[in-house]
Amino acid sequence: MPSNFFLRKKAKSGPTKRKKDEAEVFSKKKKSEKIKPNQEEISSDEDDSGHDAGYPDESSSEEENEQEKKLRLAKKYIAKIEEEEREKNSLDDTREAVAQRLKEEALEEAGRLQKKKAHEYENVVPETEAIFRGHKLSITALAVSSSEKFFISAAKDCNIIKWSIEEKKKIKVIPYVKKGTEETMPGHTGQILALALSSDDKFLASGCSSKIINIWNPETMEHLKTFKGHRGAITGLAFQRNSHQLISASSDRSLKLWNLDEMGYVETLFGHQDEVNGIDCFVGGNAVTCGGRDNTVRLWKLAEESQLVFQGHGASIDCVAVSSFQSFVSGGDDGSLLLWGTQKKKPMFKVALAHGEDEESEVSNWIVSVTTLQNTDLVASGNIWIFFPL
């Protein structure tokens, strides 16, 4: 029974296949009759694929070309380095010098290269190259472009000024605005306390005592966005390295994260028990802040949503700056500068009375600002009375 069943099935399939084959031949014959001799017929399969099955895939060819381009540029760059090292060191075999330079460049790109710079400034006499005048009240914040072609200044007069470093002149002024007109006239109604430029100079952020953050295009100084949400004055702003993620610090004891690619709010971070006075960011995206009278410095691991607490001044901590991928510096009203490691809870080094004492009161001069030349041993700090580099 099974064999008869399969035989009948097979017998039926034969004529059907012949009819189908005959129909296909007839159809193709009719199509060929309609095509003129000088015309080429393209089948629907070829239309869908965009190329004949016998030819190599275009995407793989493009990928190979891209790889070849990268290889060519890499060889060209290495040849350039070899020539520079040969001229600089008068070497016939430059392989070791080239390898060392490539290693240093890779570490520098990752923010892990430490350079010695402080000794170059030990006996330097400061000279005034130019004086920029334009603000009517005390200057509170500066931000220098990564191209070093311009810088932005802000002051208690609520004005923002863009300056040309090369031409040593004023380029653009964003004047203060009266309260109640912020919606129609972009600007600040309160004293501007913080500025920050993104690493690609695409965005400028400014924050003021009126609890708002304004976002500007540094090239044209066009207003792009206003962020609201803090309940206190904006005391610090910092962009994460090589990104458009902005972190704001406030006297309301909180930090807020903003995404400037989408011009939106991300989240709020809590931890400090007093107003946040300073903020800076590491290469990897982590942030470090100081909390004034809560006597703490906090390292925020944003990806892990955790924080480390550092205590050491025993006084109000008013400024902080990242010095390398694993260290930072803080200053406070006890007049001391502390160098911290990210892996240790206690400071690695302390400079007591870094700016001396007031002669009359014999009180240590209060350190209110600190900055670093990142990935070097150079730190600059300023106190409430005088300013000088260390």
Side-chain angles (χ1 to χ4, degrees):
M1 179 65 182
S3 59
N4 292 336
F5 175 80
F6 285 111
L7 283 172
R8 283 196 298 269
K9 190 79 174 176
K10 187 174 181 181
K12 283 186 178 181
S13 64
T16 305
K17 185 177 180 181
R18 276 199 306 273
K19 287 180 182 179
K20 187 176 180 183
D21 292 341
E22 288 172 4
E24 287 179 357
V25 171
F26 180 76
S27 175
K28 287 180 181 178
K29 189 175 180 181
K30 285 191 74 178
K31 284 183 181 179
S32 64
E33 289 174 357
K34 291 180 182 179
I35 299 171
K36 293 181 181 180
N38 295 331
Q39 291 180 335
E40 180 184 0
E41 184 182 22
I42 301 174
S43 70
S44 59
D45 290 339
E46 288 176 346
D47 285 333
D48 293 340
S49 63
H51 57 79
D52 188 77
Y55 291 90
D57 187 84
E58 289 182 3
S59 62
S60 63
S61 177
E62 288 178 2
E63 185 179 347
E64 289 173 1
N65 290 337
E66 186 67 25
Q67 290 174 355
E68 290 171 1
K69 181 180 178 182
K70 289 180 180 179
L71 182 61
R72 175 176 57 81
L73 292 174
K75 288 181 178 179
K76 184 178 178 181
Y77 183 63
I78 291 173
K80 180 184 176 183
I81 294 177
E82 285 179 346
E83 186 177 349
E84 291 176 356
E85 292 296 330
R86 191 176 290 109
E87 292 176 358
K88 185 169 64 175
N89 301 313
S90 301
L91 298 174
D92 293 328
D93 188 358
T94 59
R95 285 178 294 181
E96 289 187 8
V98 170
Q100 181 63 27
R101 181 165 165 182
L102 291 174
K103 180 181 178 181
E104 289 180 358
E105 288 182 357
L107 289 172
E108 187 171 11
E109 183 69 22
R112 293 175 175 267
L113 179 66
Q114 281 293 112
K115 295 180 179 180
K116 300 292 184 181
K117 285 286 184 181
H119 68 280
E120 298 177 11
Y121 296 85
E122 287 180 352
N123 300 315
V124 173
V125 178
E127 295 182 3
T128 302
E129 186 174 329
I131 298 176
F132 297 83
R133 300 184 187 275
H135 288 288
K136 296 178 181 178
L137 294 175
S138 301
I139 296 170
T140 54
L142 292 172
V144 181
S145 67
S146 57
S147 64
E148 297 184 359
K149 292 182 178 180
F150 67 88
F151 71 92
I152 311 294
S153 63
K156 290 183 178 180
D157 59 10
C158 310
N159 293 339
I160 299 174
I161 303 179
K162 179 181 178 181
W163 307 85
S164 170
I165 296 176
E166 295 176 345
E167 300 176 4
K168 297 179 176 60
K169 69 177 185 179
K170 190 186 303 181
I171 300 175
K172 179 80 173 179
V173 178
I174 306 296
Y176 79 96
V177 296
K178 294 181 180 179
K179 289 185 178 180
T181 63
E182 304 96 318
E183 300 298 329
T184 56
M185 295 181 62
H188 288 280
T189 60
Q191 297 178 353
I192 302 170
L193 305 176
L195 290 174
L197 274 167
S198 60
S199 53
D200 59 0
D201 295 337
K202 187 175 180 180
F203 295 109
L204 167 68
S206 58
C208 70
S209 58
S210 297
K211 311 172 188 178
I212 66 168
I213 301 167
N214 280 324
I215 308 299
W216 313 84
N217 178 349
E219 185 67 27
T220 61
M221 296 305 288
E222 174 191 2
H223 182 257
L224 302 176
K225 184 74 174 180
T226 296
F227 290 131
K228 298 180 180 179
H230 279 293
R231 298 181 179 181
I234 309 301
T235 55
L237 294 167
F239 280 95
Q240 291 183 333
R241 308 289 177 182
N242 303 317
S243 82
H244 296 149
Q245 295 282 339
L246 176 69
I247 308 176
S248 59
S250 172
S251 60
D252 65 7
R253 307 180 183 183
S254 72
L255 305 178
K256 289 186 183 293
L257 273 64
W258 314 87
N259 185 335
L260 298 199
D261 288 324
E262 299 178 1
M263 287 297 172
Y265 162 79
V266 179
E267 65 175 327
T268 302
L269 304 174
F270 297 97
H272 280 292
Q273 302 304 308
D274 194 48
E275 62 182 43
V276 186
N277 289 337
I279 183 171
D280 201 1
C281 285
F282 290 88
V283 173
N286 292 337
V288 61
T289 58
C290 57
R293 287 183 296 273
D294 75 359
N295 303 337
T296 69
V297 177
R298 293 175 187 256
L299 174 62
W300 304 81
K301 297 185 177 182
L302 301 178
E304 302 172 13
E305 297 184 350
S306 63
Q307 56 183 287
L308 299 176
V309 182
F310 300 83
Q311 293 178 315
H313 279 276
S316 177
I317 306 174
D318 296 293
C319 50
V320 66
V322 171
S323 58
S324 74
F325 72 99
Q326 58 183 5
S327 63
F328 56 92
V329 181
S330 63
D333 69 358
D334 61 352
S336 65
L337 280 174
L338 270 61
L339 176 66
W340 305 83
T342 57
Q343 305 300 320
K344 296 182 179 180
K345 285 295 186 76
K346 293 183 178 180
M348 297 188 296
F349 191 75
K350 179 177 181 178
V351 181
L353 300 177
H355 286 253
E357 293 179 329
D358 180 65
E359 293 180 359
E360 296 182 1
S361 63
E362 296 184 353
V363 175
S364 58
N365 287 323
W366 187 347
I367 297 177
V368 294
S369 63
V370 64
T371 189
T372 66
L373 183 58
Q374 284 208 9
N375 298 319
T376 72
D377 55 353
L378 185 63
V379 178
S381 61
N383 66 24
I384 203 167
W385 304 115
I386 58 174
F387 295 83
F388 63 90
L390 290 179

